[in-house]
């Protein structure tokens, strides 16, 4: 089963950027090849939901991270190789009888563009084969079984009698036309599929080396995956990867506390914590290192968040109706799939306080009746929490406190057990002298 995630969740977590904002993908997008970048993006688009696959990827990345191995290839050669191999029109195949005086003159003048891209592709293939041979000869046997398996496959592909002559061309930037005819036939028309298999494993190595470098630089750690049925989550020092000076938080969840009820004043850090929490879960399911000190998690089948839900004016939806439709969509997924993670930031903020109270209470209580999933709900309506304490035994109540220093609020960004009654909206409004400005008592642009 694939890990379920939707566009709203990817947007909430800023997994992929829009060009203006930071993205989680950009943190890791430092691959040395375009093929590696494509593979990295695919891993972000399709997180894993099987414990074996998650552990295999994590161990492979950890191997390269610990080895501090640099990527041994020149990334630029792969563009030339891919362009070359993807053109299999037989009319472009080099033929010995085509080596005419006219072609030689065009080649000397640099105007034989058709031959140039073929030649560049051939030279790129030769460089890739020789670099791979040097890499496999220089290192010992990999300690990670998946890396060893990939290296063994590369050795098998490299030991192809049809291109056993590649060592003779090591270091050359040019080959003569007669050699190019021979090499083109093998590379592009006989053994093309094997070259693509080789490049896939090299691109995979590129991703793992790059991700390992990022993890080492940023002090990310590898999460320990547990079977889905255990319904466990332990995060120590989890933090948001975009922040320069993040505050880490610790939270533990099990089957007896699978609903997290989060409260806190405006600006106390609720949304940031929810994003830290879900980004770590997302990366863990991709098999990637996470921004935390430690993490243990039961593997899930998907995740749905609602943190930055927009109106849908083109459909005529108000913000409240957009919220209702979002809750409905998530509820339908809950009926179809087990072991989901669901996160809602300020349920039903788009309606009046009475309806928001009733709806938040009803929906959270219904969520509490689904023991195999994990929920996090934040709200300003703290009265809901008091009722839920009496009705539900599997809800964990946490809040982000505000410390008042005179009339100025200071935010600790540290989770605390319980429900807060912090309400400092009017204090902030008064501190900014908004009423005085409206009354014409000061304040200019």
């Amino acid at each position: 089963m694939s890990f379920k995630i939707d566009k709203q969740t990817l947007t909430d977590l800023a997994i992929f950027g829009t060009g203006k904002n930071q993205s989680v993908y950009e943190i890791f997008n430092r691959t040395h090849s375009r093929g590696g970048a494509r593979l990295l993006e695919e891993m972000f688009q399709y997180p894993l939901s099987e414990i074996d696959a998650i552990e295999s990827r994590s161990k492979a990345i950890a191997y390269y991270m610990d080895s501090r191995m640099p990527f041994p290839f020149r990334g630029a050669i792969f563009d030339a190789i891919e362009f070359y191999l993807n053109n299999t029109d037989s009319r472009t195949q080099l033929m010995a009888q085509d080596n005419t005086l006219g072609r030689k003159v065009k080649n000397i003048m640099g105007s034989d563009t058709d031959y140039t891209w073929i030649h560049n592709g051939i030279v790129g293939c030769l460089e890739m084969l020789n670099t791979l041979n040097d890499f496999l000869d220089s290192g010992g046997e990999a300690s990670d079984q998946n890396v060893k398996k990939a290296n063994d496959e590369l050795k098998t592909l490299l030991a192809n009698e049809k291109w056993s002559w590649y060592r003779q061309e090591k270091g050359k930037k040019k080959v003569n036309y007669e050699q190019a005819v021979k090499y083109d036939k093998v590379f592009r028309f006989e053994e093309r599929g094997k070259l693509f298999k080789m490049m896939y494993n090299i691109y995979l190595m590129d991703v793992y080396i790059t991700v390992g470098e990022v993890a080492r630089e940023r002090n990310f750690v590898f999460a320990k995956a547990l079977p889905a049925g255990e319904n466990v989550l332990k995060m120590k020092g989890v933090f948001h990867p975009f922040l320069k000076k993040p505050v880490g938080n610790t939270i533990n969840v099990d089957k007896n506390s699978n609903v997290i009820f989060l409260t806190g004043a405006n600006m106390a850090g609720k949304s940031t914590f929810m994003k830290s929490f879900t980004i770590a879960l997302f990366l863990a399911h991709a098999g990637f290192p996470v921004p935390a000190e430690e993490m243990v998690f039961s593997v899930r089948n998907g995740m749905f968040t609602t943190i930055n839900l927009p109106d849908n004016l083109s459909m005529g939806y108000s913000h409240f109706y957009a919220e209702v439709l979002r809750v409905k969509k998530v509820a339908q997924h809950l009926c179809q799939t087990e072991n989901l993670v669901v996160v809602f930031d300020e349920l039903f903020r788009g309606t009046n306080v009475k309806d928001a109270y009733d709806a938040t209470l009803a929906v959270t209580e219904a969520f509490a009746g689904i023991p195999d999933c994990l929920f996090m709900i934040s709200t300003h309506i703290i009265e809901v929490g008091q009722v839920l304490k009496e009705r539900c035994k599997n809800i964990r109540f946490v809040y982000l406190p505000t410390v008042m220093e005179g009339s100025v609020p200071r935010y600790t960004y540290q989770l605390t057990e319980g429900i807060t009654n912090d309400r400092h909206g009017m204090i902030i409004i008064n501190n900014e002298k908004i009423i005085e400005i409206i009354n014409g008592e000061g304040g200019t642009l």
Side-chain angles (χ1 to χ4, degrees):
M1 179 184 293
S2 62
F3 187 86
K4 291 187 176 182
I5 195 165
D6 65 356
K7 184 178 179 181
Q8 177 63 48
T9 304
L10 293 173
T11 300
D12 284 341
L13 276 54
I15 298 301
F16 297 104
T18 59
K20 297 180 181 179
N21 302 318
Q22 284 183 289
S23 71
V24 179
Y25 173 74
E26 285 175 356
I27 292 174
F28 295 93
N29 186 23
R30 291 165 29 184
T31 56
H32 306 80
S33 63
R34 292 179 191 270
R38 288 196 305 269
L39 199 54
L40 177 69
E41 183 175 355
E42 183 179 312
M43 291 177 183
F44 270 77
Q45 289 175 334
Y46 305 103
L48 306 169
S49 62
E50 296 179 357
I51 189 170
D52 291 343
I54 292 170
E55 288 182 337
S56 294
R57 185 178 291 172
S58 293
K59 288 177 181 177
I61 296 170
Y63 167 80
Y64 284 111
M65 182 183 75
D66 294 339
S67 69
R68 296 177 179 265
M69 184 186 301
F71 186 61
F73 299 86
R74 281 196 314 119
I77 65 172
F78 296 104
D79 291 343
I81 294 172
E82 287 198 25
F83 184 81
Y84 166 68
L85 293 179
N86 281 324
N87 189 335
T88 54
D89 188 335
S90 59
R91 292 171 295 181
T92 65
Q93 183 176 351
L94 296 183
M95 298 295 180
Q97 62 268 26
D98 293 334
N99 194 23
T100 61
L101 178 61
R103 193 211 64 79
K104 292 177 182 177
V105 171
K106 286 175 67 179
N107 188 43
I108 293 171
M109 296 176 64
S111 59
D112 191 356
T113 55
D114 287 341
Y115 180 70
T116 298
W117 67 259
I118 294 173
H119 180 269
N120 289 344
I122 291 170
V123 172
C125 288
L126 291 170
E127 181 179 340
M128 179 178 71
L129 293 174
N130 277 291
T131 303
L132 180 60
N133 182 65
D134 291 345
F135 166 73
L136 293 173
D137 281 350
S138 64
E141 190 169 288
S143 57
D144 178 75
Q145 290 304 307
N146 289 288
V147 175
K148 181 181 181 301
K149 181 179 178 181
N151 288 349
D152 288 344
E153 183 176 356
L154 285 170
K155 289 177 183 177
T156 300
L157 290 167
L158 193 60
N160 185 344
E161 290 185 0
K162 288 193 174 183
W163 55 47
S164 59
W165 31 256
Y166 72 85
R167 293 184 185 86
Q168 303 166 19
E169 307 297 341
K170 184 176 181 179
K172 291 185 179 180
K173 300 299 180 184
K174 287 186 178 181
V175 295
N176 64 44
Y177 188 85
E178 289 74 18
Q179 290 170 318
V181 170
K182 175 184 177 182
Y183 301 164
D184 184 43
K185 180 182 178 183
V186 173
F187 287 153
R188 202 155 50 114
F189 296 95
E190 292 182 355
E191 303 298 297
R192 175 173 174 267
K194 292 180 180 178
L195 287 171
F196 274 120
K197 285 183 181 178
M198 187 177 289
M199 285 193 292
Y200 175 81
N201 280 293
I202 292 171
Y203 293 156
L204 202 60
M205 182 196 308
D206 187 9
V207 172
Y208 291 167
I209 288 174
T210 301
V211 174
E213 289 173 350
V214 173
R216 193 167 56 246
E217 291 172 9
R218 289 175 169 260
N219 294 317
F220 289 3
V221 300
F222 290 94
K224 177 177 175 55
L226 299 176
E230 296 190 24
N231 202 352
V232 169
L233 176 63
K234 297 179 180 179
M235 290 180 175
K236 179 181 178 182
V238 66
F239 60 92
H240 199 296
F242 295 173
L243 299 179
K244 292 182 179 179
K245 295 181 179 180
V247 176
N249 269 294
T250 298
I251 189 161
N252 298 324
V253 177
D254 58 28
K255 60 184 179 181
N256 298 315
S257 59
N258 66 306
V259 181
I260 303 167
F261 190 84
L262 175 64
T263 54
N266 284 320
M267 301 170 61
K270 296 191 302 299
S271 296
T272 299
F273 170 68
M274 298 177 99
K275 290 175 183 178
S276 304
F277 177 87
T278 46
I279 288 171
L281 275 168
F282 175 90
L283 289 174
H285 281 87
F288 280 27
V290 302
E293 295 177 29
E294 294 178 18
M295 179 172 168
V296 178
F297 72 106
S298 295
V299 175
R300 303 288 173 172
N301 291 326
M303 179 164 60
F304 295 93
T305 70
T306 308
I307 299 174
N308 300 309
L309 185 67
D311 302 336
N312 194 331
L313 298 179
S314 63
M315 298 292 290
Y317 296 165
S318 67
H319 186 80
F320 173 66
Y321 192 54
E323 288 181 297
V324 170
L325 293 179
R326 181 63 178 168
V327 174
K328 179 181 178 181
K329 178 180 179 179
V330 171
Q332 290 169 336
H333 280 289
L334 288 167
C335 291
Q336 298 167 1
T337 308
E338 298 178 336
N339 300 315
L340 295 179
V341 177
V342 175
V343 174
F344 278 98
D345 187 12
E346 294 187 36
L347 265 173
F348 306 115
R349 71 181 78 174
T351 189
N352 63 78
V353 175
K354 177 64 170 67
D355 283 342
Y357 170 91
D358 292 339
T360 300
L361 176 59
V363 170
T364 306
E365 189 173 7
F367 285 163
I370 306 175
D372 60 9
C373 292
L374 171 60
F375 302 91
M376 181 180 288
I377 309 296
S378 80
T379 183
H380 285 294
I381 308 173
I382 60 176
E383 294 81 4
V384 173
Q386 303 299 336
V387 178
L388 289 170
K389 271 189 173 182
E390 298 175 1
R391 296 185 182 182
C392 306
K393 302 303 181 185
N394 59 327
I395 298 181
R396 182 168 184 186
F397 298 91
V398 294
Y399 71 96
L400 289 159
T402 305
V403 178
M404 294 304 300
E405 297 178 346
S407 62
V408 178
R410 178 174 64 83
Y411 307 105
T412 69
Y413 307 118
Q414 290 283 178
L415 278 181
T416 303
E417 296 289 333
I419 302 173
T420 182
N421 58 2
D422 292 339
R423 286 179 171 137
H424 302 116
M426 280 307 300
I427 292 175
I428 295 170
I429 289 171
N430 290 333
N431 287 345
E432 296 299 324
K433 301 186 182 302
I434 292 174
I435 305 303
E436 288 88 338
I437 293 170
I438 294 172
N439 290 334
E441 298 173 8
T444 57
L445 293 175

